[in-house]
Amino acid sequence: MRAIVLNAFTGLDGLELAEVPDPSPGDGEELVHVRAASLGPWDVAGAGGAFASMGGSSEFPQVQGWDFAGETADGRRVAGFVAQPWMGVGAFAEQISVPRSILTELPDALGFPEASAVPVCGLTARLLLDTAAVSDGDVVLVTGAAGMVGGFALQLATAHGARVLAAVRDSDADEARRLGAETVVSTESGLEAQVREKWRDGVDACVDTVGLGLDALGCVRDDGKFATTVPTGVPDAQRGIDPGAVQVQPNAAAATELTALAAAGELTVRIAETLPLERFRDAYARLARGGVRGKLVLTP
């Protein structure tokens, strides 16, 4: 089969579209014919060796890719994600063999590209909100709310009955409003002052998807909640706030709920562009440059 493989931790230069052996499912595994696989920042980082020092595989070649959607041999529509450096398999391929337990069944109304954009980002957003104990009536600051994780967190928090304050770059303000933010503030100047002008005592919780750390923590009221996706951006505990970082894992039950919301139109899934597998270099390069709104998706 064809797959995007990494031959060295040299970023885009280390990647190639190659022929590799077809996967052979083991006990408890299922073969999935991949119809769409979406890129994330972790794919760019992984190609540069970011996970090797954390215990990820350093053997080559490595098939790349985490998020995928496709069909099983008996025609079931499924999606999931593999933490590629640790699980030893990758999603940027024509086929993938994965534990049956990580697969979520897809509603017919949800296309494969959209389904492939949900697992990592959607589950991370949900985990952030759970960690920050976001509930009905809370005022929640979401940093990077125009990004994929932040955008999902914004929408899910709103669905929980929270009032969402989106912290984004000035150029992303309209996008955050489109996704449902009640209020938008700029990350480009005086974040805490802007937030406390509206909520003098601070917000109830912050979910930080871009690593603002102390700048974002300063916006949270005493005894509030703070959760981030950036392990290096976890501030020290203070004022009764005990910040923490989240690390997403496959969760088929939670992913099923998210894909059902997406299929019903209750969760907006943004696709920036869908590209054939042969154009993987264009997709990686565009993601590395930044400024992409929505997911870049590869189709075998």
Side-chain angles (χ1 to χ4, degrees), residues 21-177:
D22 291 344
S24 180
D27 291 342
E29 293 187 335
E30 190 133 18
L31 184 69
V32 177
H33 297 275
V34 178
R35 303 304 184 204
S38 67
L39 278 80
W42 47 88
D43 293 303
V44 174
F51 299 112
S53 62
M54 300 166 58
S57 175
S58 58
E59 297 182 2
F60 301 108
Q62 299 179 12
V63 177
Q64 299 296 281
W66 293 44
D67 284 305
F68 65 91
E71 295 174 293
T72 62
D74 59 1
R76 288 178 294 114
R77 304 173 75 253
V78 296
F81 85 86
V82 287
Q84 182 274 331
W86 294 279
M87 295 183 71
V89 294
F92 297 157
E94 293 177 322
Q95 300 179 75
I96 187 172
S97 182
V98 296
R100 189 173 294 111
S101 61
I102 76 166
L103 293 174
T104 182
E105 305 270 343
L106 295 179
D108 290 338
L110 190 63
F112 288 124
E114 290 76 16
S116 77
V118 171
V120 171
C121 291
L123 289 171
T124 301
R126 177 185 166 120
L127 186 57
L128 281 168
L129 298 180
D130 288 346
T131 302
V134 172
S135 60
D136 186 20
D138 284 348
V139 177
V140 181
L141 176 67
V142 178
T143 74
M148 285 301 295
V149 174
F152 281 144
L154 188 165
Q155 295 179 74
L156 293 172
T158 301
H160 276 71
R163 302 173 63 188
V164 176
L165 175 62
V168 294
R169 294 173 299 185
D170 294 340
S171 59
D172 288 330
D174 288 343
E175 183 75 353
R177 293 188 183 95

